[in-house]
C-alpha cells in the first residue's frame, strides 16, 4: 500500500492541471463573486456574505477532485496497471486505500489554502478552529470516498466528468452554496438535508461564527463520515467487476 500511496502522491503534486482546478480557479471565482455580491453592501452584510461564500465555494470545489480520481483509475485500468497489481500479494483493500488516501491529503491541503486565503484577504473569522479542522478532515473523507466509488462505477472518463459536474454543481445549487438556504423553497430546503454539501457548509459557517454547538457538530460529522464510508464500501463491492474490465 505504501508504494501505491507514494506513487499517487508524486503524480498529484506534479499535476499542474490539478493545481488549477483545486486552487487557482476557486480563488478567481471566489474573488469575482464576492466582488459582485458585496458591491454596495454595508459592512456587516458584506462580512456575512463573505462568510457564506468562502466555505460555500470551498465545499463546491473540493468535489472536483473526483474528476482526477476517475481519471487515474481509468488510466490504470486501461494501461494494465490494475491487472498487474492484482497479480501481486497486494490486497484489493490496500490497493484502494493506497489510491484513496493521497487524495484525502490533497483535499485537506486545498481546504487549508482556500480558508487561509479567506482569512488573509477578507479577514474571515475562524472562531472554532478545532471544529473546523475536524470538519475539514470529514469533508475530505466524504468527497474522496464518493470519488472512489464513482471511479469504479463509471466506464469512461467522460462519464465521470459529467457525473462529477452534476454532483458538484447540482449539489451546490440544492445545498445553499450559491443562495442562502433560508431563501430557497421549503421543499428544496428539505432536499438539502440529504446532501453532504449542506451539512459541511452549514457547519463551516457556524464554526466560523463561533456558534456551532457540539450536538450539531457531531451530527454533521456523522453524516459526512457515513457518506464517505458508504462510498468506500460501494467501491469494495464494485472492485471485482472493475478488475474484470482491466487490460491484462
Amino acid at each position: 500500500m505504501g508504494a501505491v500511496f507514494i506513487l499517487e502522491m508524486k503524480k498529484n503534486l506534479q499535476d499542474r492541471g490539478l493545481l488549477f482546478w483545486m486552487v487557482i480557479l476557486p480563488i478567481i471565482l471566489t474573488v469575482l463573486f464576492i466582488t459582485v455580491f458585496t458591491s454596495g453592501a454595508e459592512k456587516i452584510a458584506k462580512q456575512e456574505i463573505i462568510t457564506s461564500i468562502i466555505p460555500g465555494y470551498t465545499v463546491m470545489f473540493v468535489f472536483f477532485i473526483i474528476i482526477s480520481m476517475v481519471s487515474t483509475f481509468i488510466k490504470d485500468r486501461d494501461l494494465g496497471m490494475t491487472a498487474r497489481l492484482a497479480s501481486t500479494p497486494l490486497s484489493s483493500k490496500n490497493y484502494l486505500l493506497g489510491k484513496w488516501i493521497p487524495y484525502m491529503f490533497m483535499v485537506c491541503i486545498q481546504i487549508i489554502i482556500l480558508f487561509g486565503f479567506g482569512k488573509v484577504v477578507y479577514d474571515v473569522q475562524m472562531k472554532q478552529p478545532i471544529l473546523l479542522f475536524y470538519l475539514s478532515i470529514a469533508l475530505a473523507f466524504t468527497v474522496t470516498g464518493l470519488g472512489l466509488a464513482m471511479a469504479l462505477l463509471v466506464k469512461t472518463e467522460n462519464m465521470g466528468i459529467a457525473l462529477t459536474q452534476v454532483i458538484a454543481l447540482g449539489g451546490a445549487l440544492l445545498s445553499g452554496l450559491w443562495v442562502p438556504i433560508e431563501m430557497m423553497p421549503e421543499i428544496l430546503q428539505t432536499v438539502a438535508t440529504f446532501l453532504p454539501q449542506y451539512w459541511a457548509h452549514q457547519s463551516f459557517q457556524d464554526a466560523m461564527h463561533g456558534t456551532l454547538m457540539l450536538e450539531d457538530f457531531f451530527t454533521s460529522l456523522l453524516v459526512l463520515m457515513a457518506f464517505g464510508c458508504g462510498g468506500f464500501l460501494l467501491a469494495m463491492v464494485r472492485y471485482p467487476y472493475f478488475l474484470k474490465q482491466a487490460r491484462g
Side-chain angles (χ1 to χ4, degrees), residues 65-98:
I65 195 71
I66 295 176
I67 293 176
S68 295
M69 296 183 72
V70 169
S71 177
T72 190
F73 273 93
I74 295 295
K75 287 178 180 177
D76 280 3
R77 184 197 69 188
D78 293 344
L79 294 176
M81 180 64 73
T82 302
R84 287 198 293 271
L85 288 173
S87 66
T88 69
L90 183 69
S91 68
S92 59
K93 181 183 72 175
N94 287 336
Y95 167 70
L96 293 177
L97 287 173

Side-chain angles (χ1 to χ4, degrees), residues 134 137-139 141-142 219-231:
Y134 285 113
I137 294 176
L139 178 60
F141 179 80
T142 298
T219 300
S220 296
L221 213 60
L222 181 63
V223 171
L224 292 173
M225 296 298 287
F227 273 100
C229 289

Side-chain angles (χ1 to χ4, degrees), residues 19-61:
L19 175 65
F20 174 78
W21 280 102
M22 291 181 64
V23 179
I24 298 175
L25 183 61
I27 287 177
I28 291 174
L29 291 181
T30 297
V31 172
L32 176 63
F33 278 86
I34 286 177
T35 302
V36 171
F37 286 110
T38 60
S39 178
E42 296 181 0
K43 185 176 181 180
I44 296 177
K46 181 177 180 179
Q47 199 60 34
E48 286 293 324
I49 294 171
I50 292 172
T51 307
S52 176
I53 288 178
I54 294 292
Y57 277 67
T58 298
V59 171
M60 180 178 71
F61 274 100

Side-chain angles (χ1 to χ4, degrees), residues 43-244:
K43 185 176 181 180
I44 296 177
K46 181 177 180 179
Q47 199 60 34
E48 286 293 324
I49 294 171
I50 292 172
T51 307
S52 176
I53 288 178
I54 294 292
Y57 277 67
T58 298
V59 171
M60 180 178 71
F61 274 100
V62 295
F63 275 84
F64 284 97
I65 195 71
I66 295 176
I67 293 176
S68 295
M69 296 183 72
V70 169
S71 177
T72 190
F73 273 93
I74 295 295
K75 287 178 180 177
D76 280 3
R77 184 197 69 188
D78 293 344
L79 294 176
M81 180 64 73
T82 302
R84 287 198 293 271
L85 288 173
S87 66
T88 69
L90 183 69
S91 68
S92 59
K93 181 183 72 175
N94 287 336
Y95 167 70
L96 293 177
L97 287 173
K99 299 284 285 186
W100 181 14
I101 296 174
Y103 288 99
M104 281 190 62
F105 274 96
M106 297 301 292
V107 172
C108 286
I109 293 171
Q110 180 185 18
I111 294 172
I112 290 171
I113 292 174
L114 296 179
F115 278 3
F117 173 81
K119 178 64 177 177
V120 171
V121 177
Y122 295 104
D123 193 28
V124 173
Q125 298 300 306
M126 306 283 180
K127 293 186 177 181
Q128 292 176 304
I130 295 177
L131 300 189
L132 284 169
F133 172 76
Y134 285 113
L135 286 169
S136 297
I137 294 176
L139 178 60
F141 179 80
T142 298
V143 172
T144 53
L146 294 175
L148 190 67
M150 186 181 295
L152 299 186
L153 284 170
V154 300
K155 294 183 177 181
T156 66
E157 191 171 341
N158 286 337
M159 185 185 298
I161 293 173
L163 288 176
T164 299
Q165 291 175 338
V166 171
I167 292 172
L169 301 179
L173 176 63
L174 295 174
S175 301
L177 273 57
W178 293 349
V179 178
I181 194 74
E182 298 80 10
M183 297 175 61
M184 296 170 61
E186 287 189 15
I187 187 171
L188 293 183
Q189 292 185 37
T190 302
V191 170
T193 60
F194 292 93
L195 302 174
Q197 292 99 320
Y198 166 82
W199 293 96
H201 186 220
Q202 296 302 312
S203 298
F204 276 143
Q205 285 188 96
D206 290 343
M208 287 176 172
H209 285 299
T211 59
L212 181 59
M213 306 298 291
L214 284 180
E215 181 181 352
D216 296 331
F217 165 72
F218 284 116
T219 300
S220 296
L221 213 60
L222 181 63
V223 171
L224 292 173
M225 296 298 287
F227 273 100
C229 289
F232 181 70
L233 291 176
L234 183 56
M236 286 293 294
V237 171
R238 178 64 184 173
Y239 181 72
Y241 302 95
F242 178 78
L243 187 57
K244 289 180 181 179

